[in-house]
Amino acid sequence: MSGCNKVTEAGRRFFLGRSAIAAAGAAAVATAPAAPAKAAPALAQVTYPRARLANLRDLKLNEPVNIAYPDADSPGVLIKLGARVEGGIGPDGDVVAYSTLCPHKGYPMFYRTDDRTLNCPGHYSRFDCEKGGLQVWGHATQNLAQFRLSIDGDGDIQAEGVDELIYGRHSNVLG
């Protein structure tokens, strides 16, 4: 038998031997009694702090107000857009808040008043503030984190939660 044929035959024997072991293992698993069904684990419920961000009287149309939520290490903006949007609060349903950390690499983003987008100077991702922080361009692979808001009878705007993962955090669970 030539050298090449010996290598081929050795490879074939190795493959067939490993295949037989795998098949025996699969057969053992298939004939094993089924484990009792377990209930699916409950999703983690995160309790965010309720934080006052501003008063409705303090907001000017299409001028972002810098905020931090849910903690000082999480910068964001509060914006009165002037048109009712999904997730918006206030009498006109036009007040929203977003994280200003780009979900791609965490660059601090800036707001453009002409098209109402938050924009990343690092890799040029753009997010539409009128569409829930929807990514409209760039390298990011997720939409922008939007802060859940409420408003009280005095016009105080409160943040109550976050709908997406904030950049740089493995979860939105607070320390």
Side-chain angles (χ1 to χ4, degrees):
M1 190 180 267
S2 73
C4 187
N5 287 339
K6 287 181 184 177
V7 172
T8 302
E9 187 59 30
R12 184 177 297 128
R13 282 189 204 136
F14 179 80
F15 173 76
L16 292 173
R18 296 295 175 166
S19 296
I21 292 170
V29 169
T31 60
K38 293 182 181 178
L43 296 176
Q45 297 296 314
V46 177
T47 302
Y48 286 94
R50 188 174 173 92
R52 181 186 182 280
L53 301 178
N55 189 284
L56 198 54
R57 292 183 305 268
D58 301 332
L59 299 181
K60 294 182 178 134
L61 183 61
N62 211 21
E63 288 185 21
V65 173
N66 291 327
I67 59 170
Y69 183 79
D71 53 43
D73 294 326
S74 180
V77 290
L78 181 67
I79 312 164
K80 180 174 177 55
L81 295 170
R84 185 170 298 279
V85 294
E86 188 174 340
I89 62 156
D92 302 321
D94 65 343
V95 177
V96 292
Y98 295 99
S99 170
T100 55
L101 295 175
C102 181
H104 177 233
K105 293 285 184 180
Y107 283 91
M109 295 189 295
F110 62 92
Y111 181 72
R112 283 186 47 178
T113 58
D114 61 334
D115 63 1
R116 297 185 173 151
T117 58
L118 281 163
N119 298 268
C120 177
H123 297 104
Y124 310 110
S125 289
R126 302 180 71 204
F127 303 89
D128 191 333
C129 293
E130 294 178 309
K131 294 184 179 164
L134 177 71
Q135 179 192 353
V136 293
W137 182 261
H139 293 289
T141 58
Q142 71 184 48
N143 294 331
L144 196 54
Q146 183 173 3
F147 303 142
R148 287 192 306 272
L149 304 174
S150 65
I151 190 165
D152 67 16
D154 296 327
D156 283 337
I157 300 167
Q158 307 281 332
E160 300 178 334
V162 181
D163 74 347
E164 294 275 348
L165 188 62
I166 297 169
Y167 178 81
R169 299 178 186 212
H170 298 290
S171 73
N172 279 344
V173 177
L174 302 176

